[in-house]
Amino acid sequence: MRYAIAIPQYYSDGSFDPGAFREYLTRAEEAGYHSAWTQEAVFGRRPQLSPMEAMTFAAACTDTLRLGCTVFVSTLHIPAQLAKSTASLDQLSRGRLEMGVGSGGKNRPYAAFGMQPDRYLARFTEGVELLKALWTQETVDHDGDFWQLSGAGITPRPFQKPHPPLWFGGSGPKALRRALNLGTGFFGAGSTPTAAFADQVRFVRSENPGPDFEIAKRVYVAIDADAARARARVNAELTALYGGLSPDVEAATIAGTPDDCVRAVREVQAAGAELVLFTPLFDQAHHADLIAREIIPALS
């Protein structure tokens, strides 16, 4: 089992504290977390730093901690630019990038990116295939529906060979098959209840993936000696994040005493998670220390 922690990204204008950010990442590395992860939302209800820049800063603060994004909504990116940026970050971090991609669904603000929502899945799939080609080939010839390249290549390519781990989000059978066909792992969403995640894992395993295909799960978490207070606080944060609180999101979120949280994380592990990404939505530094000190040792 491996355990990861979320990278702080929610800052209002002018409130970012470089020293506190650096200390958070340093302590996470010292505590033995496998990795630290961002997420992407260009527009949103909360002020949020870009994942690429947050990971780059984090790379400069650490030496061994792996750094990821779950997920880049890669449908909204130009593959050549995304390939260049991520390859550069993998070089700067000496091969510590974990790359997550997702289609974003049909309700993203495509017009803001000069795109139309029609055929977004075809755009997503072609973009991922082109991203991988640019990561791994010296020159790329590509005549697709959305992008055309002739004799193009990026250098340096990623430090990791053939390329960084490529995680896929998604939930339904078609999305899970894309993960199996194009990726190296599946990352369950923080909004997916454990029972639904277990169904997703069963489907993935039934497709007989290779032994190196990995499964992870984000869990929103709130820990407090007062379980009711933990639930109330995290529900308020989830409502702000999602613009409301659905039964699924509330059911997926782990909140309560340390013992409550240990039991709930064990259920996530039993459902098939090989990596658990803890995502506290308030008091992040306190939670990162508490999880490393009281939750993870109890799971071993």
Side-chain angles (χ1 to χ4, degrees):
M1 277 299 305
R2 294 166 297 158
Y3 301 99
I5 194 71
I7 293 177
Q9 289 178 266
Y10 297 116
Y11 297 96
S12 58
D13 188 6
S15 69
F16 177 71
D17 182 340
F21 186 87
R22 184 179 296 107
E23 181 179 5
Y24 178 96
L25 272 299
T26 300
R27 289 174 68 88
E29 187 169 66
E30 291 172 348
Y33 284 104
H34 163 268
S35 49
W37 293 73
T38 58
Q39 50 191 325
E40 182 179 56
V42 175
F43 307 110
R45 297 176 179 87
R46 302 180 71 187
Q48 183 174 341
L49 296 180
S50 161
M52 194 73 73
E53 285 72 17
M55 287 191 292
T56 302
F57 196 119
C61 298
T62 55
D63 296 309
T64 60
L65 192 68
R66 296 188 65 79
L67 305 164
C69 178
T70 180
V71 293
F72 284 106
V73 183
S74 58
T75 319
L76 304 179
H77 289 264
I78 297 172
Q81 291 177 327
L82 187 60
K84 183 68 173 182
S85 296
T86 51
S88 296
L89 177 53
D90 201 48
Q91 287 287 337
L92 292 169
S93 66
R94 301 295 288 175
R96 291 188 280 141
L97 177 64
E98 302 270 339
M99 180 76 175
V101 294
S103 71
K106 64 181 179 181
N107 294 320
R108 295 282 169 166
Y110 289 98
F113 297 86
M115 303 173 187
Q116 297 298 319
D118 57 304
R119 301 192 67 210
Y120 76 94
L121 283 175
R123 177 186 290 272
F124 171 68
T125 301
E126 183 181 327
V128 171
E129 291 172 339
L130 182 52
L131 176 72
K132 291 170 66 177
L134 288 165
W135 272 347
T136 57
Q137 299 174 27
E138 184 173 349
T139 58
V140 175
D141 295 311
H142 179 86
D143 185 17
D145 291 343
F146 302 97
W147 298 281
Q148 297 79 40
L149 287 76
S150 178
I154 63 166
T155 55
R157 294 190 292 281
F159 187 87
Q160 298 175 85
K161 309 301 182 191
H163 57 72
L166 187 58
W167 298 86
F168 276 63
S171 57
K174 291 182 179 178
L176 295 173
R177 286 197 179 96
R178 279 193 294 273
L180 289 160
N181 292 333
L182 296 172
T184 60
F186 167 67
F187 220 116
S191 57
T192 301
T194 301
F197 172 68
D199 290 339
Q200 293 167 350
V201 174
R202 279 191 287 272
F203 179 87
V204 168
R205 295 304 183 202
S206 73
E207 297 289 304
N208 297 313
D212 296 330
F213 191 88
E214 299 182 286
I215 295 176
K217 176 74 166 71
R218 179 193 294 278
V219 294
Y220 294 118
V221 61
I223 308 168
D224 195 308
D226 184 330
R229 181 169 58 198
R231 175 58 66 180
R233 290 191 71 185
V234 77
N235 280 0
E237 295 292 336
L238 289 165
T239 299
L241 181 64
Y242 285 100
L245 184 61
S246 73
D248 275 356
V249 171
E250 186 170 13
T253 300
I254 293 174
T257 67
D259 286 345
D260 293 334
C261 294
V262 167
R263 284 193 293 271
V265 175
R266 283 183 177 146
E267 292 176 1
V268 174
Q269 292 174 325
E274 298 161 325
L275 181 146
V276 175
L277 167 56
F278 293 102
T279 305
L281 295 176
F282 60 90
D283 297 343
Q284 286 182 277
H286 169 71
H287 271 91
D289 288 343
L290 186 61
I291 290 164
R293 188 175 66 248
E294 296 192 26
I295 305 301
I296 292 174
L299 295 166
S300 302

